[in-house]
Amino acid sequence: MLTKIFSASISGIDAIPVSIETSSTNGASFMIVGLADTAVKEAYQRITTAIEHSGLSWPHRRMVINLAPADIKKEGAHFDLPMAIGILSANGMMEGADLEATMVMGELSLDGSVLPVRGALPVAILARSMGLKRLIVPEANATEAAVVNNLEVYGVKSLGEATAILTNNSDISPTNIDTRRIFAESVDRFDFDFAEVKGQESVKRALEIACAGGHNILLVGPPGAGKSMMAKRIPSILPPFSMAEALETTKIHSVAGKLKRGSMLMTSRPFRSPHHTISPVALVGGGLSPMPGEISLAHNGVLFLDEFPEFPRTVLEVLRQPIEDRVITVSRSKYTVDYPTSFMLVASMNPCPCGYYGHPTRRCTCPTGAVAKYMGRISGPLLDRIDIQIEIEPVEFDAMASRAPGEGSMEIRQRVMLARGVQSARYREEKGIYNNSQMNSRLLHKYAWPDEAGMAKLKERMTRLNMSARAFDRILRVARTIADLDYSTRRNPDGSFCHTPEEVVAIPVSTAHLAEAIGYRNLDRGNYGTTFG
């Protein structure tokens, strides 16, 4: 007898369909074909024992399992459950089973229980796109997969429950989740709030600009100035997820196995903070079995690199292409996958090895040339790609001792969202452009070109500091964001806004906006230290 059931394999962050065909004939052998890896071939031992511990008898016949298409490598233990169901069905042990409209995934334990797997969300999206009626997954993955509408998602604890559902002998109901209600209730919840930050108004201003335009930012200051504290609060002032962004981000974390058991749609932007001992592969992704790296896990969120110069040069340099292209192509001899990398880079560092260069009250103990050598660990091309470079002064005692709360994250986020609304109106006809940091040369000339006075100021600064052409573009992008924040938040005496987003689109960048943007390039080569000490 020949049966067929659907499952899926993961490629990048998407799932591709795999048909599991099972043939049962006279004989006594077992074979899995279709480019299966070791974990799939070892399924024989798990399946036979699981079937016997589920109160069923192992059919002693010749069985061939084909995983089609045969030219795609099949990896992982999530094929255990569909292969076991195929074996039972092919041997007449599941009469009336509805396999044609069902997709199944799950790893089997020896006692017949079903263990959680990676990638349930992209598999659910695939099942719906194929027009299937039902998806059977481990119980721990049910809420994750159930965020996909118009698909019956059943979470099962055991092989017996899966067979009962397929033969209509089960009272288990599909997992139902009101995704939009839960998403709306959770999207404004923060673990950290800027109201807890004392002082540092200039730094908070720079972070607001960075979030408003999606710009990369570097924080430089002595130990204890609050660099990490403020960086952790950046997700709270970024615009809330759209449903499409939440789905895409959750897919990446699902494929990487980073979702907690029983979790569903991610509602807050990711904040990834890898240690400086991380390897290049762990940062960009790949490995023997391809997995997303930290830059992809930070997609649609924040990648925070603390102690920036302590990262190996080989690790930092791999960031250059993903920052520009917002996608990373991992090519190895046996596979090529694409991972999205549209993240906001936030880095922090001390001003020198001892940490006190330019400190107002403490003396730097570094030897001559140590500061330049320390900064030299960050290459010029990488520093060029960081739009905003802000120096942090220590917090004064009066500010630390004050009980008055600072401005909260919700107030800052409202201004950020107004500026992002302007950018949405500006780039609605531009494919792949969503914020000012993504502007190309054509859009810079159209929306961010300064007047003669502004161009003269920019020329003088760039000539004196020997800035690159990339720094020129970055300054214009930041200036455009400052203008968007300025004009989008201006109000009339009656409290109404002076401009609509559509009106702000056409308002040019002023010299004042350009001057502030130039002020955020204080760490460019030839200038470091002249304003800090």
Side-chain angles (χ1 to χ4, degrees), residues 352-526:
C352 67
C354 79
Y356 296 105
Y357 175 71
H359 195 281
T361 60
R362 298 189 62 169
R363 180 174 175 271
C364 174
T365 59
C366 296
T368 303
V371 177
K373 183 178 180 182
Y374 188 67
M375 280 298 300
R377 297 180 185 179
I378 306 171
S379 69
L382 180 57
L383 194 61
D384 268 352
R385 288 170 167 83
I386 300 178
D387 305 356
I388 298 176
Q389 305 153 5
I390 183 72
E391 298 166 343
I392 302 177
E393 296 279 357
V395 183
E396 295 182 356
F397 178 82
D398 290 343
M400 287 189 291
S402 174
R403 292 190 176 185
E407 187 178 30
S409 292
M410 284 302 298
E411 290 82 359
I412 301 174
R413 179 192 253 192
Q414 290 298 323
R415 296 195 295 269
V416 169
M417 290 173 63
L418 288 171
R420 286 289 183 108
V422 173
Q423 293 163 59
S424 296
R426 179 180 296 133
Y427 307 124
R428 57 174 166 245
E429 302 297 332
E430 304 291 340
K431 185 177 180 180
I433 306 294
Y434 305 103
N435 55 52
N436 289 334
S437 69
Q438 299 171 335
M439 278 195 291
N440 53 35
S441 297
R442 175 178 61 84
L443 295 176
L444 282 173
H445 279 81
K446 185 175 182 180
Y447 295 116
W449 212 250
D451 56 19
E452 290 186 7
M455 187 62 76
K457 185 177 184 65
L458 183 56
K459 179 182 178 181
E460 183 274 330
R461 182 62 178 250
M462 290 197 65
T463 301
R464 182 162 59 88
L465 298 181
N466 195 25
M467 290 183 179
S468 69
R470 183 178 287 112
F472 173 80
D473 288 352
R474 300 280 171 177
I475 289 172
L476 293 184
R477 292 185 179 115
V478 174
R480 180 67 266 176
T481 299
I482 295 171
D484 290 345
L485 270 171
D486 180 11
Y487 293 117
S488 66
T489 56
R490 289 187 183 184
R491 293 178 180 268
N492 296 310
D494 62 358
S496 62
F497 288 108
C498 295
H499 308 285
T500 65
E502 288 73 15
E503 289 172 338
V504 178
V505 166
I507 298 176
V509 173
S510 72
T511 304
H513 301 140
L514 194 62
E516 184 177 358
I518 293 173
Y520 292 127
R521 302 296 302 185
N522 285 338
L523 300 187
D524 279 322
R525 293 297 183 263

Side-chain angles (χ1 to χ4, degrees), residues 300-380:
N300 290 325
V302 175
L303 177 67
F304 177 50
L305 302 183
D306 200 7
E307 305 296 341
F308 199 38
E310 302 300 331
F311 283 79
R313 185 75 170 251
T314 53
V315 172
L316 293 181
E317 291 308 299
V318 301
L319 290 171
R320 288 159 56 176
Q321 181 263 331
I323 288 175
E324 292 287 338
D325 298 342
R326 301 183 183 271
V327 65
I328 181 75
T329 300
V330 180
S331 298
R332 300 292 184 267
S333 60
K334 295 183 179 180
Y335 65 83
T336 298
V337 294
D338 293 331
Y339 293 120
T341 60
S342 183
F343 57 86
M344 177 180 164
L345 174 63
V346 180
S348 71
M349 59 179 287
N350 294 328
C352 67
C354 79
Y356 296 105
Y357 175 71
H359 195 281
T361 60
R362 298 189 62 169
R363 180 174 175 271
C364 174
T365 59
C366 296
T368 303
V371 177
K373 183 178 180 182
Y374 188 67
M375 280 298 300
R377 297 180 185 179
I378 306 171
S379 69

Side-chain angles (χ1 to χ4, degrees), residues 163-285:
T163 58
I165 291 171
L166 288 168
T167 55
N168 297 316
N169 293 317
S170 172
D171 57 359
I172 298 176
S173 301
T175 302
N176 292 315
I177 295 176
D178 189 345
T179 306
R180 296 193 176 277
R181 179 184 63 80
I182 296 175
F183 184 75
E185 291 175 353
S186 305
V187 75
D188 290 327
R189 295 177 184 170
F190 313 126
D191 294 329
F192 304 102
D193 196 292
F194 267 98
E196 302 154 358
V197 178
K198 304 294 186 180
Q200 304 293 13
E201 297 304 321
S202 62
V203 184
K204 289 195 284 187
R205 165 67 174 175
L207 292 174
E208 179 180 334
I209 294 169
C211 292
H215 303 289
N216 303 321
I217 185 170
L218 173 61
L219 309 174
V220 183
K227 302 185 295 293
S228 299
M229 179 186 184
M230 287 184 282
K232 290 178 181 178
R233 285 154 177 76
I234 290 175
S236 68
I237 63 173
L238 284 169
F241 264 146
S242 66
M243 186 62 71
E245 287 177 325
L247 274 171
E248 184 179 33
T249 307
T250 307
K251 275 175 60 178
I252 298 172
H253 286 250
S254 173
V255 168
K258 300 297 184 180
L259 295 180
K260 296 179 181 179
R261 295 185 62 176
S263 61
M264 47 160 288
L265 201 65
M266 293 178 63
T267 56
S268 59
R269 294 186 180 273
F271 180 87
R272 304 296 300 182
S273 180
H275 193 260
H276 60 75
T277 57
I278 190 172
S279 68
V281 172
L283 188 67
V284 304

Side-chain angles (χ1 to χ4, degrees), residues 81 85 104-108 112-116 135-142 153-166 170 172 175:
L81 184 58
I85 291 172
V104 181
M105 67 181 302
E107 177 182 348
L108 285 176
S113 59
V114 182
L115 303 178
L135 172 65
I136 296 178
V137 296
E139 185 182 46
N141 298 112
V153 176
Y154 291 87
V156 297
K157 298 179 181 178
S158 65
L159 173 61
E161 287 187 357
T163 58
I165 291 171
L166 288 168
S170 172
I172 298 176
T175 302

